[in-house]
Amino acid sequence: MLLKGKVAAISGAASARGIGLATARLFADHGASVAILDIDEKAAHAAAATLPATGQAQSHFAAGCDVTGRASCEAAAQAVLGRFGQLDILINNAGITQPVKIMEIDAASWERILDVNLRGVLNLSQAFIPHFRSRRAGAIACMSSVSAQRGGGIFGGPHYSAAKAGVLGLAKAMARELGPDGIRVNCVTPGLIQTDITGGMLTDEMKVEIAKGIPLGRLGTAEDVAGIYLFLASDLSQYVTGAVIDVNGGMLIHG
């Protein structure tokens, strides 16, 4: 029970096969009360209803949240704090991708990918940081990608790589600034994980070819990433901040 008595908010956690919901389930298994935040409010409530009970009076919660809008993030934060009175863990998990080449990126696509993947981290973090500061405690974990480290070449386009590289820089700067307030900020960089983010465009043949370049011989699962989020959310990582943890089966091994 690594998170007993803790409250966690997870963005982009309504997808049935997504990393966010897998993380929510694992956190609940470890005793946390979980707030699922998602742009699809109906799906968020449905997802929250599937989480295992923790035995607490107010186990889980769901709210609509468009991470690209500061007002939406502020409203979601107020709803979460109004329900639980505290937040201990924020998982900036929401993200989208688009498999295009550099010359195919138009202004609308650039803004959409950067808004969700990068601006969303800033917006939701800013919504909860004052609360974390008031308690002089908090753990924030952000979703980046191996694409940011190796310059793409997996599934998302160059704008996706740019957004996820931005998440790394933003999270490290946040870790440096917020450390004196007792707030830890870290990143995970998954490789190719079998979720619905690719919109069904990743064929079985593509999976086989990609797996050939992975030392562990397989694509990742949502649960693989959830386990790292659990580590970063728990006291097992209480002296870890500004870190980037690879979850890619050895796809990228670097110094």
Side-chain angles (χ1 to χ4, degrees), residues 49 73 75 190 215:
C73 291

Side-chain angles (χ1 to χ4, degrees), residues 126-207:
Q126 286 181 326
F128 283 108
I129 284 170
H131 173 72
F132 287 147
R133 277 180 161 155
S134 72
R135 304 181 69 216
R136 297 197 60 78
I140 301 174
C142 305
M143 173 68 79
S144 182
S145 171
V146 69
S147 178
Q149 299 166 309
R150 68 194 301 269
I154 303 299
F155 187 83
H159 50 347
Y160 178 78
S161 297
K164 291 303 188 180
V167 171
L168 293 180
L170 176 60
K172 289 178 181 180
M174 286 168 56
R176 191 175 299 278
E177 181 177 343
L178 300 176
D181 296 311
I183 304 166
R184 300 185 295 106
V185 187
N186 295 289
C187 278
V188 295
T189 49
L192 194 54
I193 308 298
Q194 298 184 79
T195 69
D196 294 328
I197 194 173
T198 61
M201 297 178 66
L202 190 66
T203 66
D204 290 339
E205 291 76 13
M206 292 170 64
K207 293 177 183 178

